Amino acid sequence: MINESALLESKTLRGSVLDRTDVLDRVKALSLLPDGMHVTTAMVAAYFEVTVKTLESVVEDHRSELEASGYQVLTGKRLALFKGASGIQSRSKALALFSRRAVLNVAMLLRDSEVARQVRVYLLDMEYLARTQPVENPAHTTPMSLDDRIDQRITHILGKTVVPMFNALIETSGEHRRELVALRTDVQRVEKRLRQHHARLERLEGTRDDRSAVGVMASMDAMNGRAFEQHIARLLRRDGCTNVVVQGGHGDRGVDITGRTADGRRLVVQCKRFAPYLNITSPDVQKFVGAAKVLYSAEVALFVATCPFTPDAVRIAAETGITAVHRGLLEAWSAGEPLKVLE
């Protein structure tokens, strides 16, 4: 696996990427408690689509590591103060809380969660690519070759994570020789999987040979949810829409942006900045249909996503008058091609 084995087995490697908590929202939206900082055990289990018992087992096995990442159990006065400050209603005498760092730590410990696996892949496939991209000189922009980008990713992983582990093992004693050999084998597997994943990303993002790797979609993939909504609002204004208001967040009733088209029609937009290998499903579209048509009486409704739509989602969108702006259409729109529904 693409260093999944290394993340699962190496505490050192896990610690080196714990600050990349933004990856959690890129794979799947993580709901937080009212304090905006913590989640409960049940919420973490729901995010990773595992049982509470499974999560509790992970905590039991790695408690000290998770506590260092921000996991804590509140009791007594501390629990009472937290309930009062956050407005949480609970009769429990103890409350386990996870910080975002702790949730990311769990993602690197859960073996049997598909969501956790996607987080690990995204960490070592997308984030390392973003870190190694050079700053472009507008006057001298030279597209990177495929081999150059792959070499940079491999170099980063070897130089920043695996090699330091090798050195630490060598410096200890001969009892770690077997582990060192195993890690060397993992490095070879990493290189192979990096090439496979890069080819997959090329297909998903439609990267052309005549375009820099840091293109329209790559920049959107690096945005957080709020920045993505603002980007879509700018596109709407560019295409003549008026009264454009970004209202995404808690209490938005399923609509992130409202406004008027150039000819005065009521406009609502739902924005989903998901990882490119995920999909917008029919329940996602059905939920937006209710908000757009019933709550807002929209005449033009856009569901904008950085990922594909499932066939069922496309069918429901077409039947209900929703314009599905999938990854490919979004790229063309961002590059200057107007949406026909706005004309």
Side-chain angles (χ1 to χ4, degrees):
M1 301 298 292
I2 180 170
N3 238 8
E4 283 187 68
S5 58
L7 281 170
L8 289 166
E9 302 299 335
S10 171
K11 183 178 179 180
T12 301
L13 183 53
R14 291 193 293 270
S16 71
V17 295
L18 271 179
D19 289 333
R20 306 304 301 169
T21 56
D22 55 307
V23 171
L24 294 169
D25 292 313
R26 297 188 181 191
V27 172
K28 182 180 178 182
L30 176 64
S31 299
L32 299 174
L33 289 172
D35 70 345
M37 298 173 60
H38 298 93
V39 291
T40 64
T41 300
M43 293 167 71
V44 178
Y47 176 84
F48 289 114
E49 300 174 5
V50 299
T51 63
V52 170
K53 184 176 181 180
T54 297
L55 185 58
E56 289 175 340
S57 177
V58 171
V59 172
E60 182 179 355
D61 293 341
H62 303 275
R63 190 181 185 92
S64 60
E65 180 181 343
L66 291 171
E67 286 177 341
S69 300
Y71 171 80
Q72 57 183 317
V73 179
L74 302 183
T75 57
K77 184 179 293 186
R78 291 180 64 206
L79 177 58
L81 290 173
F82 182 81
K83 287 181 180 179
S86 63
I88 293 178
Q89 301 296 323
S90 173
R91 297 181 179 180
S92 175
K93 296 182 179 180
L95 179 64
L97 296 175
F98 294 76
S99 66
R100 288 175 63 87
R101 282 170 59 92
V103 176
L104 182 59
N105 207 152
V106 169
M108 294 182 280
L109 295 169
L110 271 173
R111 294 179 179 272
D112 299 322
S113 165
E114 176 61 20
V115 175
R117 188 195 68 80
Q118 291 176 3
V119 171
R120 294 192 293 269
V121 170
Y122 206 92
L123 269 173
L124 297 176
D125 198 42
M126 296 293 287
E127 293 305 311
Y128 286 134
L129 174 61
R131 290 183 184 183
T132 56
Q133 290 293 345
V135 176
E136 291 187 6
N137 183 340
H140 300 88
T141 302
T142 302
M144 296 172 59
S145 69
L146 173 61
D147 288 339
D148 286 340
R149 296 196 297 273
I150 293 174
D151 289 345
Q152 282 191 348
R153 296 161 76 186
I154 293 173
T155 299
H156 181 87
I157 291 176
L158 297 183
K160 300 297 183 181
T161 59
V162 180
V163 170
M165 286 191 294
F166 283 166
N167 294 338
L169 289 170
I170 293 172
E171 290 173 2
T172 53
S173 66
E175 64 183 5
H176 294 301
R177 297 288 180 181
R178 182 178 301 174
E179 184 176 356
L180 180 58
V181 172
L183 284 173
R184 283 174 175 165
T185 302
D186 287 341
V187 171
Q188 295 173 340
R189 293 175 182 171
V190 168
E191 180 178 358
K192 180 179 178 181
R193 288 305 300 271
L194 277 173
R195 295 182 183 276
Q196 293 173 345
H197 276 267
H198 184 83
R200 186 190 65 178
L201 288 173
E202 286 283 293
R203 293 193 300 270
L204 287 171
E205 296 185 7
T207 303
R208 300 185 299 269
D209 292 338
D210 61 346
R211 185 179 65 188
S212 172
V214 184
V216 174
M217 294 311 301
S219 68
M220 273 185 276
D221 287 336
M223 295 176 183
N224 59 30
R226 190 65 174 177
F228 180 59
E229 291 166 2
Q230 293 291 349
H231 172 72
I232 300 305
R234 286 193 293 272
L235 294 180
L236 293 169
R237 296 187 185 104
R238 183 201 70 190
D239 290 352
C241 295
T242 60
N243 301 327
V244 176
V245 177
V246 178
Q247 59 182 36
H250 182 69
D252 62 13
R253 299 198 299 175
V255 168
D256 296 316
I257 302 173
T258 61
R260 292 273 181 175
T261 63
D263 58 2
R265 290 171 292 164
R266 286 187 297 275
L267 166 72
V268 297
V269 184
Q270 172 69 277
C271 301
K272 292 295 185 184
R273 196 208 50 69
F274 285 173
Y277 48 77
L278 299 178
N279 289 289
I280 299 300
T281 63
S282 56
D284 296 324
V285 176
Q286 292 174 33
K287 182 178 179 181
F288 178 55
V289 170
K293 302 297 184 179
V294 178
L295 298 179
Y296 288 86
S297 300
E299 297 169 276
V300 176
L302 308 181
F303 197 125
V304 183
T306 56
C307 63
F309 287 66
T310 64
D312 282 344
V314 172
R315 177 180 56 79
I316 291 174
E319 292 175 352
T320 55
I322 302 297
T323 299
V325 183
H326 54 74
R327 188 175 180 87
L329 185 55
L330 173 58
E331 181 175 25
W333 186 27
S334 298
E337 183 177 331
L339 289 179
K340 293 183 179 180
V341 70
L342 298 178
E343 295 177 347

